[in-house]
Amino acid sequence: MKQIVILASGSGSNAENIITYFQESPGIEVAAVLTNKKEAKVLERCDRLGVPAFYFNRTSFTNSNAVVQVLKGFSADLVVLAGFLWKIPENMIAAFPNKIINIHPALLPKYGGKGMYGERVHQAVKENSETETGITIHYVNEHYDEGAIIFQAKTAVNPSDDANSIAEKVHQLEYEHFPKIIEKLLS
Ligand code: GRF
């Protein structure tokens, strides 16, 4: 059985989508979800779905090997960042080479980098009158949003769209593609 561990900081709708997708799959499962936010909604989702979830703080993430040990303890074959907002420390990248992936809600290299997340990304897409946006699934390296791109998918942005409707379209792409790309990487 291949094991996925998800890192998430917020709502966790992608985490839930990935968990339920692999509940139907014989060879792959989500072993655990880790979060850096005690109040993250993703914790409620894990509780409901019966997936172990754990909180870690900044010190254990950045200045120790504790989270790496947890990932190893779950025999993680793939570490999936789904709305996780901290930069991944070098010790974790070294421990899981080409085994940490992220989803970004825009077409990188556009609209990436520190501070470019969630609502801010969609607002910037709107303000720049882009005619398309999308998702990028990429490997994680030591720089925000700069690892090698694995997959992108696009959606049109119309003049009538606002940041909310853009976010909705992007979420639909995420739900459709992220589990399938994870499955491909693991098989
Ligand atoms: C997603 O749009 C993802 O691309 C980005 O953060 C958002 C997380 O949403 N990295 P959710 O927590 O999965 O609902």
Side-chain angles (χ1 to χ4, degrees):
M1 183 73 95
K2 295 273 174 73
Q3 305 293 337
I4 299 166
V5 177
I6 298 175
L7 271 61
S9 302
S11 164
S13 67
N14 276 284
E16 175 160 0
N17 183 53
I18 295 164
I19 291 165
T20 53
Y21 183 92
F22 289 108
Q23 280 174 342
E24 306 298 321
S25 151
I28 303 173
E29 69 178 4
V30 175
V33 174
L34 309 183
T35 186
N36 60 333
K37 292 267 184 271
K38 271 185 189 154
E39 68 288 359
K41 192 173 165 199
V42 71
L43 292 170
E44 290 167 33
R45 295 184 194 265
C46 290
D47 199 31
R48 174 163 46 79
L49 296 164
V51 173
F54 303 93
Y55 162 80
F56 56 81
N57 64 20
R58 173 74 81 171
T59 308
S60 58
F61 189 62
T62 313
N63 298 329
S64 84
N65 225 29
V67 177
V68 168
Q69 290 309 325
V70 172
L71 294 173
K72 287 191 171 168
F74 281 109
S75 307
D77 297 291
L78 196 66
V79 178
V80 173
L81 312 186
F84 182 71
L85 297 181
W86 286 351
K87 197 166 161 185
I88 301 301
E90 278 177 21
N91 63 321
M92 190 177 291
I93 292 168
F96 293 93
N98 283 327
K99 287 184 173 178
I100 309 176
I101 65 168
N102 180 45
I103 190 162
H104 187 79
L107 296 169
L108 291 173
K110 283 182 156 186
Y111 306 107
K114 190 168 164 56
M116 267 302 198
Y117 58 86
E119 177 82 18
R120 296 185 194 184
V121 174
H122 308 306
Q123 199 63 52
V125 165
K126 173 70 188 167
E127 278 165 16
N128 288 332
S129 306
E130 296 283 359
T131 56
E132 62 181 18
T133 186
I135 60 169
T136 304
I137 297 168
H138 64 95
Y139 288 107
V140 170
N141 67 13
E142 52 287 342
H143 305 291
Y144 275 114
D145 301 327
E146 287 185 16
I149 291 173
I150 300 164
F151 175 84
Q152 292 186 307
K154 294 178 180 175
T155 184
V157 179
N158 305 316
S160 60
D161 278 317
D162 61 12
N164 283 336
S165 64
I166 295 171
E168 181 54 35
K169 288 180 179 180
V170 167
H171 265 305
Q172 288 313 316
L173 286 181
E174 293 179 335
Y175 302 152
E176 183 186 345
H177 295 288
F178 205 10
K180 290 182 189 153
I181 297 299
I182 292 168
E183 193 169 37
K184 265 195 198 160
L185 291 173
L186 284 173
S187 52

Tab-separated table of all heavy atoms in Angstrom, residues 76-102:
chain	number	residue	atom	x	y	z
A	76	ALA	N	5.748	7.682	4.399
A	76	ALA	CA	5.187	8.499	3.315
A	76	ALA	C	5.917	8.253	1.998
A	76	ALA	O	7.135	8.409	1.920
A	76	ALA	CB	5.274	9.973	3.693
A	77	ASP	N	5.178	7.841	0.983
A	77	ASP	CA	5.724	7.718	-0.366
A	77	ASP	C	5.618	9.046	-1.100
A	77	ASP	O	6.350	9.312	-2.046
A	77	ASP	CB	4.962	6.645	-1.152
A	77	ASP	CG	5.137	5.282	-0.521
A	77	ASP	OD1	6.261	4.753	-0.578
A	77	ASP	OD2	4.167	4.757	0.070
A	78	LEU	N	4.640	9.861	-0.682
A	78	LEU	CA	4.457	11.177	-1.280
A	78	LEU	C	3.916	12.117	-0.201
A	78	LEU	O	2.996	11.758	0.538
A	78	LEU	CB	3.453	11.089	-2.449
A	78	LEU	CG	3.434	12.268	-3.410
A	78	LEU	CD1	4.747	12.376	-4.201
A	78	LEU	CD2	2.277	12.141	-4.402
A	79	VAL	N	4.530	13.293	-0.129
A	79	VAL	CA	4.059	14.344	0.793
A	79	VAL	C	3.345	15.374	-0.072
A	79	VAL	O	3.930	15.918	-1.015
A	79	VAL	CB	5.239	14.984	1.548
A	79	VAL	CG1	4.750	16.101	2.466
A	79	VAL	CG2	6.001	13.916	2.340
A	80	VAL	N	2.080	15.607	0.227
A	80	VAL	CA	1.254	16.464	-0.618
A	80	VAL	C	0.892	17.737	0.141
A	80	VAL	O	0.250	17.677	1.191
A	80	VAL	CB	-0.033	15.715	-1.033
A	80	VAL	CG1	-0.983	16.659	-1.771
A	80	VAL	CG2	0.318	14.507	-1.897
A	81	LEU	N	1.321	18.873	-0.399
A	81	LEU	CA	0.946	20.156	0.195
A	81	LEU	C	-0.357	20.610	-0.468
A	81	LEU	O	-0.413	20.780	-1.676
A	81	LEU	CB	2.029	21.209	-0.026
A	81	LEU	CG	3.482	20.814	0.281
A	81	LEU	CD1	4.391	22.038	0.149
A	81	LEU	CD2	3.618	20.188	1.654
A	82	ALA	N	-1.378	20.782	0.357
A	82	ALA	CA	-2.696	21.180	-0.177
A	82	ALA	C	-3.163	22.385	0.630
A	82	ALA	O	-3.832	22.252	1.649
A	82	ALA	CB	-3.681	20.020	-0.065
A	83	GLY	N	-2.734	23.575	0.176
A	83	GLY	CA	-3.055	24.772	0.941
A	83	GLY	C	-2.197	24.870	2.196
A	83	GLY	O	-2.675	25.263	3.250
A	84	PHE	N	-0.927	24.517	2.056
A	84	PHE	CA	-0.002	24.606	3.193
A	84	PHE	C	0.880	25.835	2.994
A	84	PHE	O	1.486	26.005	1.937
A	84	PHE	CB	0.860	23.347	3.290
A	84	PHE	CG	1.784	23.380	4.475
A	84	PHE	CD1	1.283	23.259	5.759
A	84	PHE	CD2	3.151	23.558	4.306
A	84	PHE	CE1	2.126	23.308	6.862
A	84	PHE	CE2	4.000	23.608	5.402
A	84	PHE	CZ	3.477	23.486	6.689
A	85	LEU	N	0.966	26.686	4.028
A	85	LEU	CA	1.503	28.022	3.795
A	85	LEU	C	2.937	28.265	4.265
A	85	LEU	O	3.478	29.333	4.005
A	85	LEU	CB	0.571	29.073	4.425
A	85	LEU	CG	-0.832	29.102	3.822
A	85	LEU	CD1	-1.677	30.188	4.475
A	85	LEU	CD2	-0.798	29.316	2.319
A	86	TRP	N	3.565	27.349	4.937
A	86	TRP	CA	4.954	27.598	5.344
A	86	TRP	C	5.917	27.027	4.318
A	86	TRP	O	5.620	26.025	3.649
A	86	TRP	CB	5.248	26.944	6.695
A	86	TRP	CG	4.642	27.634	7.869
A	86	TRP	CD1	4.011	28.856	7.884
A	86	TRP	CD2	4.596	27.147	9.219
A	86	TRP	NE1	3.587	29.141	9.154
A	86	TRP	CE2	3.931	28.127	9.989
A	86	TRP	CE3	5.053	25.991	9.832
A	86	TRP	CZ2	3.708	27.965	11.350
A	86	TRP	CZ3	4.838	25.827	11.193
A	86	TRP	CH2	4.176	26.814	11.952
A	87	LYS	N	7.067	27.690	4.255
A	87	LYS	CA	8.134	27.205	3.378
A	87	LYS	C	8.678	25.883	3.930
A	87	LYS	O	8.863	25.736	5.141
A	87	LYS	CB	9.244	28.256	3.355
A	87	LYS	CG	10.196	28.118	2.247
A	87	LYS	CD	11.004	29.401	2.161
A	87	LYS	CE	12.262	29.154	1.397
A	87	LYS	NZ	13.110	30.337	1.396
A	88	ILE	N	8.947	24.945	3.038
A	88	ILE	CA	9.426	23.621	3.474
A	88	ILE	C	10.923	23.708	3.775
A	88	ILE	O	11.700	24.150	2.919
A	88	ILE	CB	9.150	22.569	2.373
A	88	ILE	CG1	7.649	22.502	2.060
A	88	ILE	CG2	9.669	21.192	2.784
A	88	ILE	CD1	6.754	22.158	3.227
A	89	PRO	N	11.328	23.284	4.978
A	89	PRO	CA	12.738	23.398	5.334
A	89	PRO	C	13.617	22.400	4.569
A	89	PRO	O	13.139	21.356	4.105
A	89	PRO	CB	12.762	23.099	6.839
A	89	PRO	CG	11.516	22.345	7.105
A	89	PRO	CD	10.515	22.738	6.064
A	90	GLU	N	14.901	22.748	4.486
A	90	GLU	CA	15.827	21.944	3.681
A	90	GLU	C	15.942	20.499	4.155
A	90	GLU	O	16.080	19.587	3.346
A	90	GLU	CB	17.211	22.594	3.677
A	90	GLU	CG	17.299	23.703	2.656
A	90	GLU	CD	18.637	24.414	2.665
A	90	GLU	OE1	19.622	23.828	3.153
A	90	GLU	OE2	18.670	25.558	2.176
A	91	ASN	N	15.874	20.303	5.477
A	91	ASN	CA	16.020	18.924	5.972
A	91	ASN	C	14.884	18.028	5.450
A	91	ASN	O	15.081	16.845	5.180
A	91	ASN	CB	16.104	18.877	7.508
A	91	ASN	CG	14.849	19.377	8.189
A	91	ASN	OD1	14.234	20.354	7.737
A	91	ASN	ND2	14.444	18.728	9.267
A	92	MET	N	13.701	18.610	5.279
A	92	MET	CA	12.572	17.812	4.770
A	92	MET	C	12.741	17.535	3.275
A	92	MET	O	12.469	16.426	2.800
A	92	MET	CB	11.257	18.544	5.046
A	92	MET	CG	10.056	17.682	4.775
A	92	MET	SD	8.513	18.503	5.187
A	92	MET	CE	8.638	18.569	6.947
A	93	ILE	N	13.194	18.541	2.545
A	93	ILE	CA	13.406	18.343	1.102
A	93	ILE	C	14.480	17.268	0.882
A	93	ILE	O	14.340	16.391	0.033
A	93	ILE	CB	13.787	19.681	0.429
A	93	ILE	CG1	12.562	20.615	0.468
A	93	ILE	CG2	14.254	19.474	-1.010
A	93	ILE	CD1	12.837	22.036	0.105
A	94	ALA	N	15.522	17.327	1.706
A	94	ALA	CA	16.600	16.336	1.583
A	94	ALA	C	16.112	14.932	1.941
A	94	ALA	O	16.535	13.938	1.340
A	94	ALA	CB	17.767	16.730	2.478
A	95	ALA	N	15.203	14.846	2.901
A	95	ALA	CA	14.714	13.530	3.346
A	95	ALA	C	13.724	12.919	2.344
A	95	ALA	O	13.549	11.697	2.310
A	95	ALA	CB	14.057	13.655	4.724
A	96	PHE	N	13.058	13.777	1.555
A	96	PHE	CA	12.043	13.290	0.596
A	96	PHE	C	12.291	13.877	-0.798
A	96	PHE	O	11.480	14.644	-1.307
A	96	PHE	CB	10.629	13.653	1.095
A	96	PHE	CG	10.246	12.920	2.334
A	96	PHE	CD1	10.467	13.492	3.585
A	96	PHE	CD2	9.702	11.650	2.278
A	96	PHE	CE1	10.144	12.797	4.743
A	96	PHE	CE2	9.378	10.953	3.428
A	96	PHE	CZ	9.600	11.531	4.666
A	97	PRO	N	13.415	13.501	-1.418
A	97	PRO	CA	13.732	14.096	-2.721
A	97	PRO	C	12.699	13.719	-3.782
A	97	PRO	O	12.376	12.540	-3.939
A	97	PRO	CB	15.121	13.510	-3.051
A	97	PRO	CG	15.262	12.308	-2.179
A	97	PRO	CD	14.400	12.501	-0.978
A	98	ASN	N	12.178	14.728	-4.467
A	98	ASN	CA	11.144	14.524	-5.490
A	98	ASN	C	9.933	13.776	-4.965
A	98	ASN	O	9.232	13.089	-5.712
A	98	ASN	CB	11.711	13.799	-6.714
A	98	ASN	CG	12.514	14.744	-7.574
A	98	ASN	OD1	12.202	15.934	-7.659
A	98	ASN	ND2	13.561	14.238	-8.181
A	99	LYS	N	9.688	13.893	-3.682
A	99	LYS	CA	8.517	13.236	-3.098
A	99	LYS	C	7.625	14.239	-2.372
A	99	LYS	O	6.753	13.851	-1.594
A	99	LYS	CB	8.961	12.149	-2.120
A	99	LYS	CG	9.535	10.935	-2.817
A	99	LYS	CD	9.865	9.884	-1.798
A	99	LYS	CE	10.278	8.589	-2.475
A	99	LYS	NZ	10.643	7.580	-1.487
A	100	ILE	N	7.870	15.528	-2.589
A	100	ILE	CA	7.006	16.554	-1.996
A	100	ILE	C	6.436	17.367	-3.146
A	100	ILE	O	7.182	17.907	-3.968
A	100	ILE	CB	7.776	17.489	-1.038
A	100	ILE	CG1	8.588	16.682	-0.019
A	100	ILE	CG2	6.804	18.441	-0.328
A	100	ILE	CD1	9.454	17.532	0.908
A	101	ILE	N	5.112	17.430	-3.220
A	101	ILE	CA	4.474	18.200	-4.291
A	101	ILE	C	3.508	19.212	-3.695
A	101	ILE	O	2.997	19.040	-2.589
A	101	ILE	CB	3.751	17.305	-5.323
A	101	ILE	CG1	2.571	16.553	-4.692
A	101	ILE	CG2	4.736	16.327	-5.972
A	101	ILE	CD1	1.665	15.883	-5.728
A	102	ASN	N	3.267	20.267	-4.473
A	102	ASN	CA	2.366	21.340	-4.048
A	102	ASN	C	1.388	21.633	-5.172
A	102	ASN	O	1.679	21.386	-6.342
A	102	ASN	CB	3.201	22.596	-3.751
A	102	ASN	CG	2.346	23.770	-3.310
A	102	ASN	OD1	1.446	23.622	-2.472
A	102	ASN	ND2	2.598	24.945	-3.872
